Amino acid sequence: MKRIACIIILISILLSNSYSDTEPNDSYEDANSIEINSIINGSLGEDDNDDWYEVVLPYDGALEAMIEPGVQLNTYIQIYDENGTTSLASDNTGGSGETDSLKQNDLM
């Protein structure tokens, strides 16, 4: 199994179980564990700009994440290795209020 850490600056992440994030989750050490194929309703505040999530992949393959902000936010997705130190992929292509998505293949 492969444990992946994601830092996601967001309002919500679409990955189809639905639940809310638990604060604090502003760092790798406090990352919320999530299941694959889930919808997470996150929230940001004045002093809360980052939300971290952790997912365990049951087998080698790909991970796809999508952010659909509910308001005019410029969101950013970053996928890190299991240690939370090496960036494997990132995306900041959506504009303010637009959907960002990221797919990382060949995760082992």
Side-chain angles (χ1 to χ4, degrees), residues 16-59:
S16 258
N17 299 322
S18 179
Y19 50 94
S20 296
D21 68 349
T22 303
E23 296 293 340
N25 65 334
D26 306 329
S27 67
Y28 170 78
E29 292 78 15
D30 294 325
N32 285 186
S33 293
I34 60 174
E35 298 177 19
I36 57 174
N37 300 318
S38 297
I39 297 172
I40 296 90
N41 296 306
S43 61
L44 298 174
E46 189 172 312
D47 296 325
D48 178 16
N49 294 319
D50 298 343
D51 280 348
W52 282 74
Y53 300 93
E54 168 184 278
V55 61
V56 175
L57 303 178
Y59 47 84

Side-chain angles (χ1 to χ4, degrees), residues 1-2 4 36-37 56-63 106-108:
M1 287 199 218
K2 181 73 172 179
I4 303 295
I36 57 174
N37 300 318
V56 175
L57 303 178
Y59 47 84
D60 295 349
L63 175 67
D106 304 322
L107 293 172
M108 297 185 265

Side-chain angles (χ1 to χ4, degrees), residues 41-88:
N41 296 306
S43 61
L44 298 174
E46 189 172 312
D47 296 325
D48 178 16
N49 294 319
D50 298 343
D51 280 348
W52 282 74
Y53 300 93
E54 168 184 278
V55 61
V56 175
L57 303 178
Y59 47 84
D60 295 349
L63 175 67
E64 186 170 8
M66 181 185 303
I67 300 173
E68 294 180 345
V71 295
Q72 295 296 314
L73 292 177
N74 186 13
T75 58
Y76 183 78
I77 303 172
Q78 186 136 4
I79 298 175
Y80 285 92
D81 66 359
E82 63 271 13
N83 297 318
T85 56
T86 302
S87 176
L88 303 176

